[in-house]
Amino acid sequence: MKALLCAALLLAAPAARAAEGFKARGFVLPDGAVKIDDDRYRLPQPWDEAVKFYRRAYPPGKYPRKTLHNESAVRAMNIANPSGVEWEGVNLYEAARGEVRLYILAGKEPLPKSK
């Protein structure tokens, strides 16, 4: 029984680390993220670390991803929210000078909680 409890705690540790930070439109942003415009944020970490953070926070099996292609050498991906509540999707991209930015695509408003 103790071994099962220890295993559960070890599995929960990455989820707890991924949940650090704050939320905007219900979407988790890492500590150090800076708002630069409505629904636009600059992330403190480099591209590879940002991708790892969001892989833990939003597992690809539940939140589909697709690479966004363009003519420039900018790396970009979309993370979709199947429920569409609060946020429909997020575009994560690497801007000039290695700066990682994020744009939250607004979704449906959550239903009010009934009393």
Side-chain angles (χ1 to χ4, degrees):
M1 183 68 173
K2 287 183 182 179
L4 185 60
L5 181 59
C6 287
L9 289 173
L10 287 174
L11 291 174
R17 281 195 309 268
E20 293 173 358
F22 62 98
K23 288 187 175 186
R25 285 198 185 269
F27 185 79
V28 176
L29 294 162
D31 284 331
V34 178
K35 184 173 184 170
I36 54 176
D37 202 356
D38 289 341
D39 298 327
R40 293 182 190 275
Y41 296 85
R42 182 175 53 245
L43 303 184
Q45 63 265 78
W47 175 261
D48 294 333
E49 289 179 27
V51 169
K52 287 178 188 175
F53 176 86
Y54 284 112
R55 197 174 290 138
R56 285 190 311 267
Y58 297 99
K62 292 182 181 177
Y63 297 89
R65 284 147 169 72
K66 62 181 170 184
T67 302
L68 302 175
H69 298 284
N70 59 37
E71 296 297 316
S72 66
V74 173
R75 294 188 279 187
M77 77 164 55
N78 173 271
I79 302 172
N81 181 6
S83 75
V85 176
E86 293 190 87
W87 58 279
E88 183 178 320
V90 170
N91 290 339
L92 182 68
Y93 60 97
E94 187 177 45
R97 300 176 307 279
E99 190 175 81
V100 179
R101 293 187 178 187
L102 182 138
Y103 177 62
I104 301 172
L105 305 165
K108 299 176 272 188
E109 292 297 319
L111 296 174
K113 294 180 181 179
S114 59
K115 294 180 182 180

